Amino acid sequence: MYTQGLDSLGKDCLRDEAKDGAALESRFQARVDAEEKIEPKDWMPEAYRRTLIRQISQHAHSEIVGMLPEGNWITRAPSLKRKAILIAKVQDEGGHGAYLYSAAETLGVSRAELVGQLLAGKAKYSSIFNYPTPTWADVGAIGWLVDGAAIMNQIPLCRCSYGPYARAMVRICREESFHQRQGYEIMLFLARGTGRQRAMAQAALEAGFHMATFTCFLALVAPSASLAEAGANAASYTFLGRLAAACGRQFVQSHQCSPSTRTM
Ligand SMILES: [Fe+2]
Ligand SMILES: [Fe+2]
């Protein structure tokens, strides 16, 4: 486990005083360029460590906050089967937060400190989870589209330079694939359902496509722009809204079936 023995120093750190900082930095860069993993006891630049703490903790907070709207739906899910699936998904999201807090702790920060920053409003999380989920179809749309967008953003992190983060992401991405699939299955069921179910699916997909596109858009601009800057482009927003409505309509229409052929 990567959290063991972090109170003792690694080889690079023991030589730190005898080495010049530039040499350490160039060796660090050479390892990153060679796609070697940087481990907790290895020497690393302070800016790298701080950036990792910010990114990993922000990711962990998003996993924890992300399970809250879905957790609210556990008692209201339409069948025992749906409740069991949703409980498993919510449990996974809590686990993702736990892996990521553990990865952040290897950088010398405590979980209590990170959670304290979240509760005090000092730490950010993905604002996508502030959207309301008024219907069951919203739960399906989030699973299919928002978890799906998260997979696209997070697959590259499985190959990131920091070992504990990369290893946590491998497991997280596998579990996100299940989340995406269960969301798709909910939407497919509703699109093949009654008029009310189809209308509910359409509305949720419009919101979901919008959120998912926004999530991917943020991932592209996040390193260089704030959330406010990213959201400032009104023309892009109008375009995304129209695209979302068209995609939702297309999905619902293409899966319409007569009551006699409904199988689920
Ligand atoms: Fe997750
Ligand atoms: Fe997920």
Side-chain angles (χ1 to χ4, degrees):
M1 292 294 287
Y2 46 72
T3 49
Q4 288 176 347
L6 295 179
D7 50 348
S8 58
L9 295 172
K11 281 183 288 183
D12 283 347
C13 295
L14 293 175
R15 291 201 304 266
D16 195 351
E17 284 176 9
K19 273 194 172 181
D20 149 76
L24 280 169
E25 196 147 344
S26 74
R27 182 162 180 271
F28 167 85
Q29 189 59 50
R31 291 184 63 197
V32 171
D33 293 344
E35 299 196 9
E36 279 180 37
K37 295 289 177 232
I38 305 299
E39 297 299 336
K41 288 160 80 173
D42 295 339
W43 183 90
M44 63 186 78
E46 184 55 23
Y48 177 84
R49 194 182 71 84
R50 277 201 312 269
T51 301
L52 275 174
I53 290 174
R54 184 187 53 77
Q55 179 171 342
I56 298 174
S57 63
Q58 195 168 312
H59 191 166
H61 300 328
S62 300
E63 298 283 355
I64 298 298
V65 175
M67 72 180 181
L68 302 178
E70 292 180 306
N72 282 338
W73 269 97
I74 290 173
T75 54
R76 291 179 285 159
S79 68
L80 192 56
K81 174 186 151 186
R82 300 289 178 192
K83 285 185 206 302
I85 295 171
L86 189 58
I87 286 171
K89 180 182 191 290
V90 169
Q91 182 176 286
D92 281 354
E93 304 297 8
H96 297 174
Y99 308 150
L100 292 168
Y101 283 130
S102 294
E105 283 181 310
T106 64
L107 293 156
V109 64
S110 76
R111 185 176 307 207
E113 197 178 329
L114 297 175
V115 172
Q117 288 169 0
L118 174 67
L119 297 178
K122 289 183 193 157
K124 287 183 178 170
Y125 59 89
S126 176
S127 61
I128 217 85
F129 300 116
N130 292 334
Y131 279 76
T133 51
T135 72
W136 173 246
D138 290 307
V139 177
I142 287 176
W144 181 23
L145 302 173
V146 177
D147 288 69
I151 294 170
M152 291 180 66
N153 292 341
Q154 292 174 8
I155 287 283
L157 293 173
C158 299
R159 294 185 60 214
C160 74
S161 59
Y162 190 55
Y165 193 25
R167 289 188 287 275
M169 290 314 302
V170 171
R171 179 163 176 180
I172 288 174
C173 285
R174 285 187 187 145
E175 291 177 347
E176 295 298 353
S177 301
F178 151 68
H179 302 169
Q180 194 251 9
R181 197 65 204 167
Q182 66 87 37
Y184 174 77
E185 204 268 331
I186 291 173
M187 298 317 294
L188 192 60
F189 178 85
L190 295 173
R192 289 174 174 168
T194 63
R196 275 184 71 189
Q197 286 173 317
R198 290 160 52 71
M200 189 166 73
Q202 165 78 45
L205 284 174
E206 286 179 19
F209 272 117
H210 198 97
M211 284 192 277
T213 316
F214 186 56
T215 303
C216 288
F217 180 59
L218 277 185
L220 293 175
V221 299
S224 57
S226 68
L227 293 183
E229 287 167 329
N233 191 329
S236 299
Y237 254 47
T238 309
F239 170 73
L240 291 180
R242 275 202 230 110
L243 183 68
C247 292
R249 234 175 352 258
Q250 173 68 24
F251 178 82
V252 172
Q253 282 170 7
S254 65
H255 290 95
Q256 184 171 14
C257 58
S258 65
S260 59
T261 55
R262 279 178 205 143
T263 54
M264 291 186 292

